[in-house]
Amino acid sequence: MRACIMAVLCLHLSKTTAAHVSRSGLGHWQFFGSQLQAFLGNVPAVAEASGGRSGTEDAVQLSITYKHDTHVGNGNIIAKSKVRKEPQVQIVGAPSGGGAESPIYTLLMVDPDAPSPDHPKWADFLHWAVTNITRGDASSGNVLMKYMGPAPLEGTHRYIFSLWWQMPGHTIGSRARYLIGNRKDGPSTQVAAIEDRKHFNVAKFAKDHNLQGPIQKEFFRVKA
């Protein structure tokens, strides 16, 4: 990768004339260094998408499948009738051991376009929250917020899944549900009222529970 970047950079610099160096007021090596910094500044930071994690976490992928083998990917449009029940979520590439050193994940699903894309005053609307996921399957986790199928009333909404890595040995218990709802006493049940799902702050939830990531994201869309 480094060799490829340097090759592209050298090609870029080969097109730079002596006049550019002269006008810059820099020596050849100083000019080279300034161009290197400018070039690398345009290269996306891949590590940022994985919350600074490396190794096996980089290979983890989300596989999300609704009824009738309907797969989620790249913002595809799915009919409301196919997403009423929770999907099967596989964390492809996750270790299957389940030991003390095995990774634990949190899965969140939100709608940033509620109640309408033009006026998303309820964003983010929480549709699903599962913590303590092991063995690469969301069904192994602890449901903090029961799945609520998309049912947009206006426009086309995005439904975003984000996968987070939990700190080693840190589990998120059922009491964390009280940090989700807007009422002071939190949601009374997992089948939370609409009000408990509005204005979910993903970043705050991640900070409160020391989550790293998101290490993967995927989304689909549903038309009203």
Side-chain angles (χ1 to χ4, degrees):
M1 179 66 179
R2 182 179 300 174
C4 180
I5 291 176
M6 291 304 296
V8 174
L9 177 60
C10 287
L11 178 61
H12 169 71
L13 291 179
S14 69
K15 298 179 181 179
T16 304
T17 65
H20 286 91
V21 177
S22 178
R23 286 198 301 268
S24 70
L26 301 173
H28 283 79
W29 286 109
Q30 287 177 300
F31 184 76
F32 179 89
S34 67
Q35 291 295 295
L36 174 64
Q37 184 176 10
F39 180 83
L40 292 180
N42 293 324
V43 178
V46 178
E48 184 179 351
S50 62
R53 294 278 293 165
S54 59
T56 57
E57 294 300 321
D58 294 337
V60 167
Q61 299 293 328
L62 275 176
S63 174
I64 307 166
T65 308
Y66 281 96
K67 63 184 296 186
H68 305 310
D69 289 327
T70 302
H71 297 278
V72 170
N74 300 319
N76 57 325
I77 295 178
I78 304 178
K80 284 188 284 187
S81 60
K82 293 184 177 181
V83 295
R84 289 172 182 163
K85 295 184 179 181
E86 67 183 58
Q88 181 182 26
V89 179
Q90 299 287 335
I91 304 172
V92 181
S96 58
E101 298 301 318
S102 296
I104 307 175
Y105 303 97
T106 287
L107 178 72
L108 302 174
M109 175 186 171
V110 299
D111 174 2
D113 300 316
S116 74
D118 291 335
H119 303 285
K121 61 182 180 181
W122 295 348
D124 282 336
F125 188 90
L126 181 64
H127 277 265
W128 199 22
V130 186
T131 63
N132 308 337
I133 300 172
T134 59
R135 303 181 187 90
D137 192 323
S139 64
S140 67
N142 171 51
V143 178
L144 286 186
M145 184 67 80
K146 191 173 181 178
Y147 180 83
M148 179 178 183
L153 299 177
E154 182 179 342
T156 300
H157 291 220
R158 295 164 294 166
Y159 297 90
I160 302 173
F161 293 89
S162 59
L163 184 69
W164 303 74
W165 181 74
Q166 295 177 208
M167 296 294 287
H170 177 69
T171 58
I172 302 175
S174 59
R175 288 187 61 82
R177 197 166 71 243
Y178 291 89
L179 296 177
I180 293 178
N182 293 316
R183 295 179 308 203
K184 292 183 178 180
D185 59 346
S188 57
T189 67
Q190 288 180 328
V191 187
I194 296 296
E195 291 300 317
D196 295 324
R197 296 176 183 268
K198 294 178 182 178
H199 312 299
F200 178 68
N201 190 323
V202 175
K204 183 178 185 303
F205 184 83
K207 181 179 180 181
D208 288 343
H209 297 288
N210 297 317
L211 301 179
Q212 292 192 21
I215 57 175
Q216 282 297 333
K217 282 186 177 182
E218 195 55 88
F219 81 106
F220 66 99
R221 293 174 294 161
V222 175
K223 294 182 178 180

